[in-house]
Amino acid sequence: MHMRHLFAAGALAVLLAGPAQAAGEPSLDLVEPIADYKIYVSEKLQKLVADTTAFTDAVKAGDIDKAKALFAPTRMSYEAIEPIAELFSDLDASIDSRADDYEQGEKDPAFPGFHRIEYGLWEQNSTEGLAPIADKLLADVKDLDKRIADLTLPPETVVGGAAVLMEEVAATKISGEEDRYSHTDLWDFKGNFDGSRKIFDLMRPLIEEKEGEFVTKVSGNFDTVETTLAKYKAGDGYETYDKLSEDDRKVLAAAVNTLAEDLSTLRGKLGLD
């Protein structure tokens, strides 16, 4: 039903791509993968809204165990589309910022979103005072869904997002800094990883013939990360991050850094720089 609209939006995005067009090289080949990516983002947002509703309901009901169980899987949809979410910096800060961003840290009344709730659930083992934060989180997630639905995705942001997601992992996930109270970093990591691989897989047919060696190398590194993560599967999710061996952290860090570097060249390979 929405395919024609999405396709048109993708076509418009390519036509408005700016510098690439001026250089006379926008690729109409990008229209279809960008349209497919918009569908992927829309599906992730639908899931994010549904999952955040269930998560915040549990928080407001004072059901600590249920809220803890829903925290990590709920975040995965957000992490998968983070480069698009970050186009709206006000919402990204409200949904996903850390205590470090606030003067009084965890005690700061302005500290919002997922990580404020995470702090309450794990460090304080309480939902006291979290209801208004939960309500605001759900409102922000719904606002994000609405804003992205109306957005024409810029091709350079989509393609660049593959590298950005791996840079996020290198910057915050490997250290365990992001989910510091719950240690559910591997779920976030998997969300970032899936989002990055999705972009790469959609763009791959456009460069495979000319860049076969590059494509093989990047695919191999994605596989390395996947294999390492798979060791820590537990039920429908993952072990806590502290279960990772030092060696596995090193393997992950090496693969992620290489992916970030290689994927940062993807925009250029598609004529978007």
Side-chain angles (χ1 to χ4, degrees):
M1 180 174 69
H2 302 295
M3 180 57 85
R4 185 178 303 167
H5 168 71
L6 290 168
F7 194 78
L12 181 64
V14 172
L15 291 173
L16 298 177
Q21 185 185 4
E25 343 181 9
S27 174
L28 289 175
D29 295 341
L30 280 169
V31 174
E32 194 174 342
I34 297 291
D36 287 345
Y37 183 69
K38 180 83 188 250
I39 294 167
Y40 172 79
V41 169
S42 300
E43 287 168 351
K44 289 291 178 192
L45 284 164
Q46 282 173 17
K47 184 162 171 47
L48 179 65
V49 170
D51 290 351
T52 304
T53 302
F55 171 62
T56 53
D57 282 351
V59 170
K60 289 193 292 181
D63 191 336
I64 293 174
D65 289 342
K66 186 175 183 185
K68 281 182 171 181
L70 293 176
F71 172 77
T74 297
R75 287 178 52 74
M76 286 181 81
S77 299
Y78 188 81
E79 294 291 330
I81 59 163
E82 207 161 10
I84 306 304
E86 286 173 348
L87 291 170
F88 303 102
S89 56
D90 59 327
L91 289 179
D92 183 52
S94 191
I95 291 168
D96 200 35
S97 56
R98 328 272 196 273
D100 314 346
D101 300 325
Y102 300 89
E103 196 176 334
Q104 300 166 50
E106 285 88 353
K107 307 292 182 219
D108 202 310
F111 177 32
F114 274 120
H115 294 298
R116 173 63 185 91
I117 296 173
E118 178 197 7
Y119 173 72
L121 293 174
W122 272 272
E123 291 292 310
Q124 300 178 308
N125 205 39
S126 168
T127 57
E128 193 181 333
L130 294 182
I133 294 162
D135 283 337
K136 178 73 164 67
L137 173 63
L138 182 58
D140 287 338
V141 162
K142 287 179 173 175
D143 189 9
L144 182 70
D145 180 32
K146 184 176 181 306
R147 289 201 215 174
I148 292 177
D150 296 336
L151 180 71
T152 297
L153 299 186
E156 60 276 17
T157 301
V158 174
V159 175
V164 167
L165 282 160
M166 289 296 98
E167 286 156 11
E168 291 262 351
V169 173
T172 66
K173 309 292 187 300
I174 294 290
S175 68
E177 175 254 300
E178 179 154 7
D179 298 314
R180 63 188 70 167
Y181 320 113
S182 61
H183 305 298
T184 53
D185 302 86
L186 290 179
W187 301 74
D188 280 13
F189 192 117
K190 183 69 162 75
N192 288 156
F193 173 84
D194 287 349
S196 180
R197 188 156 208 170
K198 180 68 177 181
I199 295 166
F200 175 71
D201 286 346
L202 285 171
M203 301 302 158
R204 179 177 178 158
L206 306 185
I207 58 169
E208 197 137 34
E209 198 173 324
K210 212 165 65 177
E211 298 279 357
E213 200 174 310
F214 171 80
V215 166
T216 303
K217 184 186 178 203
V218 171
S219 294
N221 274 311
F222 273 127
D223 290 344
T224 299
V225 173
E226 188 90 81
T227 303
T228 307
L229 283 177
K231 291 185 191 178
Y232 296 96
K233 285 287 285 181
D236 292 334
Y238 291 91
E239 301 267 14
T240 52
Y241 191 58
D242 47 358
K243 299 285 196 300
L244 248 76
S245 71
E246 196 56 42
D247 281 350
D248 275 344
R249 286 193 192 207
K250 284 177 183 165
V251 168
L252 276 177
V256 164
N257 282 316
T258 306
L259 276 169
E261 285 171 22
D262 286 344
L263 291 168
S264 70
T265 67
L266 200 53
R267 279 173 33 157
K269 292 180 192 301
L270 289 161
L272 289 168
D273 276 351

